[in-house]
Amino acid sequence: MTGGFRKKIRQKNAENSGFGTNASGRFINKDGLPNVQRRGVNVFNRLSWYHTMLNLSSFRFISYLVIAYILINLLFAMIYYLIGVEHLTGIDKSDPLNEFIDVFFFSSQTFTTVGYGRIAPVGFLASLVATFEAFLGLLTFAIATGLFYGRFSRPRAYLRFSDIAVIAPFQGSSALMFRLAPYKNNALTDADVILSAAIEVSYRKWRC
């Protein structure tokens, strides 16, 4: 019987995936973003709303746009209502609820610059608010259009990775191997892969 060392390589998804003795924590989060803590900077300086909107999921992005659209129109509807519905022509004055509904839809028509014409502002103050709302609507939709273009124009590879990585012979040595492939009708050309891996290697002594 002979004795020796048997090498066992085990891949772990550890919480501490930093390299070296001074590094700790994950370099890259599971969502692919770098694990960076920003300190000493206020929230407005360290937050990029543009990149935040680009990195949102499609459902959350559309939801935020719809919520912002409703809130802005509710705000202007309250402003028109406080000015007085008598400064808007074509309002249904049968009850306060119908008045507010008409004012809300007038705000949405002004914000989108549709302007059907049934309701129109009368007086300087109501006309001034409507003018500012129309200008704000143009700017808002221009920003929303830019965000839509930025999200849809970004190249994405749509990659899927194999669930299991293996260590196998490669060019006279051993190499860590895994498979990846695009899962949509696109192709990869001149692809470069940079892999950062933290692998724990343990040696166990055995005897027969």
Side-chain angles (χ1 to χ4, degrees):
M1 305 298 290
T2 59
F5 289 96
R6 181 180 179 181
K7 182 172 69 172
K8 181 179 180 181
I9 299 178
R10 181 177 55 189
Q11 183 177 1
K12 292 178 59 179
N13 185 14
E15 292 295 329
N16 184 356
S17 60
F19 300 106
T21 58
N22 296 325
S24 63
R26 299 183 61 91
F27 286 168
I28 302 295
N29 293 323
K30 293 183 179 180
D31 57 1
L33 298 178
N35 185 17
V36 178
Q37 293 183 0
R38 299 170 178 84
R39 299 177 181 178
V41 183
N42 61 59
V43 64
F44 296 104
N45 288 333
R46 69 169 178 258
L47 180 64
S48 172
W49 66 268
Y50 176 74
H51 292 89
T52 301
M53 296 297 288
L54 289 183
N55 293 324
L56 288 176
S57 64
S58 298
F59 177 77
R60 294 181 64 182
F61 177 72
I62 298 298
S63 299
Y64 287 164
L65 290 183
V66 172
I67 292 173
Y69 176 76
I70 294 175
L71 291 178
I72 291 174
N73 283 286
L74 283 175
L75 175 62
F76 278 98
M78 293 178 61
I79 295 175
Y80 289 123
Y81 198 81
L82 292 176
I83 292 175
V85 295
E86 64 273 8
H87 295 282
L88 297 173
T89 61
I91 295 291
D92 182 7
K93 300 180 181 180
S94 58
D95 60 77
L97 180 60
N98 288 334
E99 291 178 355
F100 190 80
I101 291 175
D102 280 351
V103 169
F104 175 81
F105 285 117
F106 168 72
S107 173
S108 65
Q109 295 164 17
T110 305
F111 188 75
T112 57
T113 66
V114 174
Y116 291 115
R118 185 176 72 86
I119 303 176
V122 177
F124 174 77
L125 190 58
S127 299
L128 180 64
V129 175
T131 301
F132 176 75
E133 184 180 8
F135 175 73
L136 181 63
L138 291 174
L139 294 181
T140 303
F141 280 101
I143 294 174
T145 303
L147 289 174
F148 267 105
Y149 178 78
R151 289 175 61 89
F152 285 104
S153 62
R154 288 186 304 172
R156 297 182 61 182
Y158 298 102
L159 298 178
R160 290 281 176 87
F161 295 85
S162 58
D163 296 330
I164 299 175
V166 298
I167 294 179
F170 178 74
Q171 295 182 355
S173 181
S174 298
L176 175 67
M177 300 181 183
F178 59 90
R179 292 180 177 179
L180 65 90
Y183 60 90
K184 291 198 174 184
N185 57 337
N186 61 326
L188 296 179
T189 58
D190 298 331
D192 292 330
V193 178
I194 299 176
L195 176 64
S196 298
I199 301 175
E200 179 181 339
V201 180
S202 60
Y203 296 88
R204 290 187 178 181
K205 185 176 181 180
W206 60 274
R207 293 179 180 178
C208 296

